């Protein structure tokens, strides 16, 4: 199937298959890191991880590479929380 400028676009079945592979990877990441919810975003073409624990406000990790995402999740979990402004650390 062709579209604008002669580029080939993915057939829906192929696109769905690739998307399901990435969703499977997201499920595996979530299993490996149970304190997180991990989603695959087809629009962003990236994984996004949301903490399910008392994390610093706004902590959301997004990466297209599952290994880098996993590393960033581990770092975020082991990093001590930042002190609130105006308090002693």
């Amino acid at each position: 199937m062709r579209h604008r400028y002669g580029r080939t676009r993915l057939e829906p079945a192929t696109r769905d298959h690739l998307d399901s592979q990435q969703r499977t990877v997201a499920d595996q990441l979530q299993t490996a890191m149970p304190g997180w919810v991990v989603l695959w975003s087809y629009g962003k073409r990236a994984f996004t991880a949301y903490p399910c624990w008392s994390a610093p406000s706004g902590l959301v990790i997004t990466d297209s590479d599952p290994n880098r995402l996993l590393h960033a999740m581990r770092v975020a979990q082991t990093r001590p929380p930042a002190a609130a402004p105006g308090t002693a650390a």
Side-chain angles (χ1 to χ4, degrees):
M1 191 179 272
R2 296 218 175 257
H3 65 101
R4 198 170 174 184
Y5 304 115
R7 294 182 185 159
T8 303
R9 73 176 183 193
L10 293 174
E11 292 293 330
T14 304
R15 188 173 56 224
D16 290 344
H17 176 69
L18 293 174
D19 196 36
S20 73
Q21 289 175 339
Q22 301 299 56
R23 286 192 311 261
T24 299
V25 171
D27 290 341
Q28 291 168 346
L29 289 167
Q30 188 167 316
T31 299
M33 299 293 287
W36 296 80
V37 172
V38 180
L39 304 172
W40 167 251
S41 171
Y42 180 78
K44 290 181 183 179
R45 305 300 298 159
F47 299 96
T48 303
Y50 300 92
C52 297
W53 37 275
S54 242
S57 179
L59 177 62
V60 176
I61 302 171
T62 301
D63 203 308
S64 60
D65 181 84
N67 293 317
R68 287 192 310 248
L69 182 82
L70 184 59
H71 175 74
M73 291 163 66
R74 287 184 175 142
V75 168
Q77 257 186 284
T78 58
R79 182 176 297 155
T87 61

